[in-house]
Amino acid sequence: MAQLDGRGRAALAAVMGGVLLLSGCGVLGIGGDSRQPTDLRALLPERVRKSGVLTVGASFTAAPVVYRNDRNEPDGLDPHLAQKLGSLLGIRLEFQDAGPFANVLPGLLGRKYDIAMSGITDTREREQGVDKDGKQVNEGVDFVDYFMAGIGIAVDKGNPQNIHEIDDLCGHTVTVKKGTTHADLVSRQKTVCDHNGKPLTVMETDSDNAAIENLKGRADAYMTDYPKATYAVQTVDNGGTLQIGGPQLQPRPFGIALRKDDEQLRDVLMRAMNRLITDGTYDQVLADHQLQVGAIQNAVTNGP
């Protein structure tokens, strides 16, 4: 990922400054115990200790968080953190391709893999297994939160449509990835815009690359996680065609998703993530991907 420019760093840091410490609603992890890594491995569920492998579902469509590099290997923040977690626990975290992002959590609930790590925003709806209307659709999942990211809006260079925030989308066309919190947000905003007589057109895709192609075409804006929006702005056409429309919106935690019946595994992963935070490994991984502004001070379960 390319380095953020000064204005981008300042805007993101201003939003992130007040939310770097996850606490309150979540269960605070213990990051400072003196146990050795072998002790954490002993706390893993027996099935994981015996196999030595933890399978991880992901959609490789979200650079710089998770994608495939030019060697077709899993790369980005999530695979890098997963590797460090595996080293600490004495196991291997093995990534599996879930396809489109909308498949990631259903695949986890369908027991296709042990956990999911794919830049997944921790929301109450996902924790409780309800849709945007509050209808129960599944049993829900638990999260181990490890990073903070808000929403970014990418637009054409020069921002000809003057799109800076959610309300500015009214009367325009926006592209989002299916199954994301951004798609839910745009769906709600569409109701507002349509009611106000300025219809909002939504173009849903299965990947960020397809969304970027939409932005180059009919779409006026592309809404996604702020790190992904920034990465697109910096890398598409060598940074010459897109820009961020405005400041980061609604910061929320990314979390490792687990099934509700995997409390033992959840708690071990939380402790392991906190150990990475305490010993400096976590900060180094974020620095490697120029994502330090999303750092948290403690991993938590089902954070705010």
Side-chain angles (χ1 to χ4, degrees):
M1 177 180 173
Q3 179 69 40
L4 295 178
D5 63 26
R7 184 171 56 183
R9 286 195 301 269
L12 185 53
V15 176
M16 299 303 297
V19 291
L20 297 185
L21 176 60
L22 290 180
S23 59
C25 299
V27 179
L28 190 62
I30 306 301
D33 72 52
S34 60
R35 301 184 192 213
Q36 297 301 312
T38 50
D39 291 330
L40 285 183
R41 190 182 193 282
L43 298 176
L44 287 166
E46 184 178 4
R47 73 178 194 278
V48 180
R49 293 200 311 273
K50 284 186 174 180
S51 69
V53 175
L54 195 64
T55 53
V56 186
S59 177
F60 297 99
T61 59
V65 177
V66 56
Y67 62 99
R68 290 193 182 277
N69 60 29
D70 55 10
R71 298 181 300 279
N72 201 36
E73 300 166 339
D75 206 340
L77 174 66
D78 283 356
H80 198 172
L81 277 176
Q83 180 202 9
K84 298 301 183 181
L85 285 171
S87 296
L88 180 61
L89 294 169
I91 60 174
R92 186 173 77 257
L93 272 70
E94 187 176 275
F95 275 75
Q96 297 183 2
D97 194 341
F101 181 81
N103 293 350
V104 174
L105 290 182
L108 173 67
L109 293 171
R111 299 186 177 274
K112 292 183 178 180
Y113 27 81
D114 298 311
I115 64 175
M117 198 171 182
S118 193
I120 307 169
T121 302
D122 178 354
T123 67
R124 287 286 177 255
E125 290 80 11
R126 286 171 174 164
E127 291 174 18
Q128 297 170 5
V130 298
D131 64 16
K132 59 181 181 293
D133 298 316
K135 178 183 177 182
Q136 197 76 41
V137 292
N138 57 56
E139 59 268 40
V141 297
D142 281 339
F143 288 97
V144 174
D145 296 335
Y146 61 93
F147 185 75
M148 291 293 296
I151 296 169
I153 303 176
V155 297
D156 292 327
K157 203 79 167 180
N159 199 1
Q161 303 297 333
N162 290 315
I163 297 172
H164 303 283
E165 55 187 34
I166 300 295
D167 288 341
D168 295 335
L169 295 174
C170 293
H172 297 291
T173 298
V174 63
T175 184
V176 293
K177 196 160 62 174
K178 293 177 184 175
T180 62
T181 55
H182 324 109
D184 292 341
L185 180 59
V186 167
S187 176
R188 292 193 295 270
Q189 185 63 26
K190 176 175 171 56
T191 301
V192 174
C193 294
D194 293 353
H195 178 75
N196 291 335
K198 297 179 66 177
L200 170 61
T201 301
V202 181
M203 300 175 68
E204 289 192 326
T205 72
D206 285 330
S207 72
D208 289 311
N209 286 339
I212 290 168
E213 290 305 311
N214 286 343
L215 180 56
K216 289 181 176 181
R218 291 200 304 118
D220 300 310
Y222 160 44
M223 183 176 290
T224 186
D225 296 317
Y226 195 90
K228 302 172 193 176
T230 302
Y231 183 85
V233 164
Q234 294 169 343
T235 57
V236 172
D237 298 330
N238 294 317
T241 59
L242 305 178
Q243 72 175 61
I244 297 294
Q248 181 176 222
L249 307 170
Q250 303 179 11
R252 293 287 305 170
F254 282 177
I256 302 171
L258 301 96
R259 292 181 291 272
K260 292 286 188 183
D261 60 3
D262 256 341
E263 298 99 333
Q264 183 181 356
L265 177 59
R266 179 199 67 197
D267 293 345
V268 175
L269 288 177
M270 182 175 66
R271 294 183 67 156
M273 186 65 74
N274 273 317
R275 175 126 355 123
L276 295 182
I277 292 172
T278 300
D279 69 16
T281 302
Y282 171 84
D283 286 338
Q284 185 57 58
V285 171
L286 266 61
D288 289 344
H289 298 277
Q290 287 82 51
L291 291 171
Q292 301 97 312
V293 288
I296 61 170
Q297 294 181 17
N298 292 94
V300 300
T301 296
N302 300 333

